Amino acid sequence: ESLTSIDLTPFTRAPITNLGRTFYGCKKLASLDLSPLTLSNNVDFDDFITGCSSLTYIDLAPFANIELGSLSSFFNGCSSLTSIDLTPFAGKPITDVSSMFHGCSSLTTIDLTPFTGAPITNLGSTFYNCSSLTSIDLTPFTGAPITNLGSTFYNCSSLTSIDLTPFTGAPITNLGST
């Protein structure tokens, strides 16, 4: 819980296969440069930065070179992030972004363009408690086979309007607490 910084350059050679819970609960970690890492296509990163409540910057460059299916809870509890560059996730066959930004209460806007064309089915709780989020363009989700929108915008108290047109025709079965 007291970790404030870390240099990941010693891990540049071997492809990392497991990042699960690596920085879980590192409440004082403010910046994370992942660019030195080489990641395996099957890397497990469940909860790897969950609860990093002081994190204001993260370099996601290594994720551009691997396949990804789920980003569930990726930034969960990163309450100091005001912006996130999602470009490394572009073109990936991502299906699950549930709780991805859950508790990112300082996030004011997010560019979801990298998710354009992704076969996302689960958006449940994606923006749950993103209380500073003022606008959101959901156009990148147009045509996605989304089935779950439950609690997606729960406690997004700064949003004044949401255009749900991109979800037209989606086989949505869960709208609970949206």
Side-chain angles (χ1 to χ4, degrees):
E1 289 186 6
S2 298
L3 181 70
T4 57
S5 66
I6 189 163
D7 178 6
L8 297 173
T9 54
F11 303 107
T12 57
R13 293 188 179 165
I16 306 292
T17 59
N18 190 342
L19 288 172
R21 299 177 70 91
T22 304
F23 301 105
Y24 183 91
C26 291
K27 297 175 184 177
K28 295 183 180 180
L29 187 63
S31 178
L32 189 55
D33 180 4
L34 301 174
S35 63
L37 300 181
T38 300
L39 302 178
S40 162
N41 261 336
N42 298 317
V43 67
D44 172 6
F45 51 86
D46 289 343
D47 293 320
F48 100 99
I49 60 170
T50 294
C52 290
S53 54
S54 295
L55 195 65
T56 57
Y57 172 79
I58 184 167
D59 182 341
L60 300 168
F63 289 95
N65 302 315
I66 64 169
E67 291 299 315
L68 298 167
S70 174
L71 293 173
S72 178
S73 298
F74 200 95
F75 301 102
N76 191 342
C78 294
S79 57
S80 293
L81 283 173
T82 57
S83 65
I84 305 166
D85 179 7
L86 300 174
T87 307
F89 299 141
K92 308 293 182 193
I94 297 163
T95 58
D96 187 352
V97 292
S98 61
S99 298
M100 185 174 179
F101 307 105
H102 187 287
C104 290
S105 56
S106 296
L107 197 62
T108 56
T109 188
I110 186 80
D111 179 5
L112 301 171
T113 306
F115 295 132
T116 301
I120 296 170
T121 59
N122 192 352
L123 279 172
S125 299
T126 302
F127 304 103
Y128 191 106
N129 266 347
C130 288
S131 55
S132 296
L133 194 62
T134 57
S135 66
I136 188 162
D137 178 5
L138 300 171
T139 307
F141 298 126
T142 302
I146 296 165
T147 58
N148 183 9
L149 282 177
S151 299
T152 300
F153 305 105
Y154 187 84
N155 199 29
C156 289
S157 54
S158 295
L159 279 177
T160 56
S161 68
I162 303 171
D163 179 3
L164 300 175
T165 307
F167 301 128
T168 302
I172 298 167
T173 57
N174 183 5
L175 285 174
S177 298
T178 297

